Amino acid sequence: GQQVMQIPQYQHVQEGEDFTTYCNSSTTLSNIQWYKQRPGGHPVFLIQLVKSGEVKKQKRLTFQFGEAKKNSSLHITATQTTDVGTYFCAGRGTSYGKLTFGQGTILTVHP
Amino acid sequence: DVKVTQSSRYLVKRTGEKVFLECVQDMDHENMFWYRQDPGLGLRLIYFSYDVKMKEKGDIPEGYSVSREKKERFSLILESASTNQTSMYLCASSFQDLNYNEQFFGPGTRLTVL
């Protein structure tokens, strides 16, 4: 079945440093979504990428979808303590909206 | 405001008990999902439903069953709870449209099986 691998599992940064998490799928994806889960909370949707090579920005967050639609990345510029949490990518194949989630990257930001 | 609610935030059960987890959404979503979340393993799909009375197995369906009798409600059933089913259970819902299929999650149920 479809597998989505995400690295790194953990990332510790000093406030102000940049952060990147990477996602790779074993199969071509219809789209990829990114979610953020704050400590003690539930995953919350951030963004969806659909087109090959797509790049989207949300303030300090930059999301990319690979040309082959099998990989993606999330880059945060100048991290802040409010960025703390677990970031998940989730790839959609072809059926009915089912997503396969990556293992997540736990981001810790030291002030 | 969109909402997914789950019947309990915390639940403690004994090995062998039958456990029901309920999820309700108020967004008229076609899809509903049950995941379990364990450290280092991310979100793993147990079952999902794309219509009333329709269901499909996810990646880890063993030991679980589901029921969807109404569009807004999706139940997860542990027929005979075991200690390895201690976990955080998250329900989610979404539209099927490719352009509007973000998943909305409930607050989760932390289940402990003793």
Side-chain angles (χ1 to χ4, degrees):
Chain A
Q2 183 178 80
Q3 291 188 348
V4 176
M5 304 299 293
Q6 190 175 352
I7 57 168
Q9 188 174 355
Y10 301 95
Q11 186 77 59
H12 299 262
V13 299
Q14 289 293 129
E15 191 171 18
E17 291 181 339
D18 292 357
F19 158 75
T20 305
T21 175
Y22 300 91
C23 197
N24 284 286
S25 170
S26 57
T27 58
T28 302
L29 300 169
S30 302
N31 64 42
I32 194 154
Q33 299 178 6
W34 286 90
Y35 292 77
K36 177 182 179 181
Q37 184 176 25
R38 294 182 186 276
H42 57 272
V44 175
F45 175 80
L46 293 176
I47 208 160
Q48 175 172 285
L49 304 171
V50 179
K51 298 176 185 174
S52 168
E54 190 169 14
V55 178
K56 285 188 175 180
K57 292 192 175 186
Q58 287 181 349
K59 298 183 180 177
R60 295 178 293 104
L61 279 61
T62 302
F63 304 84
Q64 293 189 329
F65 200 11
E67 294 290 341
K69 300 184 74 173
K70 294 179 75 174
N71 58 71
S72 183
S73 65
L74 157 60
H75 180 82
I76 302 178
T77 303
T79 53
Q80 299 174 358
T81 54
T82 52
D83 295 325
V84 163
T86 304
Y87 292 85
F88 292 99
C89 62
R92 174 171 170 164
T94 53
S95 74
Y96 291 117
K98 175 187 166 186
L99 296 175
T100 301
F101 280 80
Q103 298 91 331
T105 295
I106 300 172
L107 174 63
T108 304
V109 180
H110 301 283
Chain B
D1 198 16
V2 296
K3 211 162 186 180
V4 179
T5 56
Q6 294 184 227
S7 47
S8 307
R9 290 301 303 270
Y10 300 92
L11 209 50
V12 179
K13 296 291 181 181
R14 298 213 172 267
T15 301
E17 280 193 83
K18 191 168 186 176
V19 182
F20 293 88
L21 302 181
E22 290 218 311
C23 176
V24 179
Q25 53 97 2
D26 65 358
M27 294 164 280
D28 203 33
H29 285 160
E30 297 95 353
N31 293 339
M32 294 189 76
F33 308 85
W34 275 106
Y35 296 92
R36 65 176 281 178
Q37 183 174 19
D38 301 287
L41 298 178
L43 297 169
R44 292 182 294 166
L45 182 65
I46 304 171
Y47 267 98
F48 77 103
S49 169
Y50 51 89
D51 201 352
V52 174
K53 298 190 187 295
M54 306 304 290
K55 62 186 178 185
E56 276 200 25
K57 292 180 180 179
D59 301 315
I60 51 164
E62 297 79 17
Y64 304 94
S65 62
V66 290
S67 172
R68 193 168 180 200
E69 297 297 318
K70 292 186 177 182
K71 189 175 186 179
E72 67 270 19
R73 191 178 297 268
F74 193 35
S75 301
L76 179 70
I77 303 145
L78 287 66
E79 294 289 342
S80 177
S82 63
T83 55
N84 63 13
Q85 293 178 310
T86 291
S87 187
M88 171 67 83
Y89 289 88
L90 289 161
C91 175
S93 68
S94 78
F95 290 118
Q96 287 176 5
D97 188 317
L98 254 180
N99 294 316
Y100 300 100
N101 66 335
E102 66 184 272
Q103 292 192 9
F104 293 86
F105 285 82
T109 295
R110 186 165 293 283
L111 173 67
T112 302
V113 183
L114 302 175

